Amino acid sequence: MRIIAGSRRGRVLEAPEGSATRPTADRVRQALFDMLFHAPWGGRDCVEGVRILDGFAGTGALGLEALSRGAAFCTFFEVDRAALGALRANLAGCRMREMAQVFAGSVLRPKRAVEACGLVFLDPPYGEGLPARALAALSGAGWIAPGALIVVETGREEAAPVENVEILAERVHGAARLWVWRAGGDAAE
């Protein structure tokens, strides 16, 4: 696993042993960022200079990729100790600690945000219905800016993670399905 593009391109990322953490594959991250940068609703300004949130961060691959591609700052949420160790090692190895904040806690119970984020990544364990709960919690705590792009990875066979939103993009990559939409007035919607 490595960073695909940007200032830290090629940097190898650490991942914990075992199956508790499921990092987003390189090819899925490449496809996601290609979509973010080149879709009619996207563009470089949806990543460059933007505050990012990486919930269920694991190794931090999504947030680190965004930072490498010009994001201003990333807040990571992770609860697993082994994943936290890998995330912190990856931040140090990429020399990105000053561009990030790590919360060793659940994205389902976030602290109040100091500043809302314009791009939110959620890659929770599949099949547990966590995206809607996380988005409600993050929205309630002020983490999601109105108009923010929301990117959620689910299992291939899972239904849309939330209802009543206009899905901008939906793509299947192996066992993963990516969903992208823009937050509305109620930031999670």
Side-chain angles (χ1 to χ4, degrees):
M1 185 174 57
R2 62 188 172 81
I3 293 182
I4 304 299
S7 65
R8 306 309 194 273
R9 179 181 180 181
R11 172 71 66 176
V12 174
L13 300 175
E14 291 186 27
E17 298 286 327
S19 61
T21 301
R22 177 194 35 77
T24 301
D26 290 359
R27 65 183 173 75
V28 176
R29 275 184 288 115
Q30 178 68 48
L32 169 61
F33 280 89
D34 284 349
M35 186 171 37
L36 290 174
F37 276 46
H38 302 293
W41 44 261
R44 299 187 88 68
D45 61 346
C46 72
V47 174
E48 293 176 353
V50 175
R51 290 183 73 85
I52 309 294
L53 185 140
D54 188 351
F56 306 99
T59 62
L62 287 169
L64 289 164
E65 187 73 41
L67 288 170
S68 179
R69 293 173 184 244
F73 191 84
C74 185
T75 300
F76 296 90
F77 283 89
E78 180 53 58
V79 295
D80 182 81
R81 281 189 179 192
L84 279 165
L87 170 58
R88 288 183 173 122
N90 289 333
L91 282 166
C94 292
R95 293 184 175 97
M96 293 180 163
R97 284 186 289 197
E98 70 285 350
M99 302 166 70
Q101 180 175 29
V102 176
F103 285 111
S106 176
V107 72
L108 301 174
R109 293 180 303 284
K111 296 178 180 184
R112 188 88 189 136
V114 174
E115 188 173 340
C117 296
L119 178 58
V120 175
F121 296 118
L122 295 178
D123 182 11
Y126 293 167
E128 297 182 22
L130 297 172
R133 291 176 46 208
L135 289 166
L138 290 167
S139 180
W143 284 98
I144 304 173
L149 280 176
I150 310 290
V151 178
V152 176
E153 182 178 330
T154 66
R156 177 186 190 106
E157 303 303 322
E158 290 183 56
V162 295
E163 297 178 0
N164 303 319
V165 297
E166 179 187 348
I167 301 296
L168 298 171
E170 174 189 351
R171 303 282 189 280
V172 173
H173 299 277
R177 182 180 301 267
L178 294 173
W179 306 85
V180 182
W181 69 92
R182 201 167 287 287
D186 173 1
E189 295 181 358

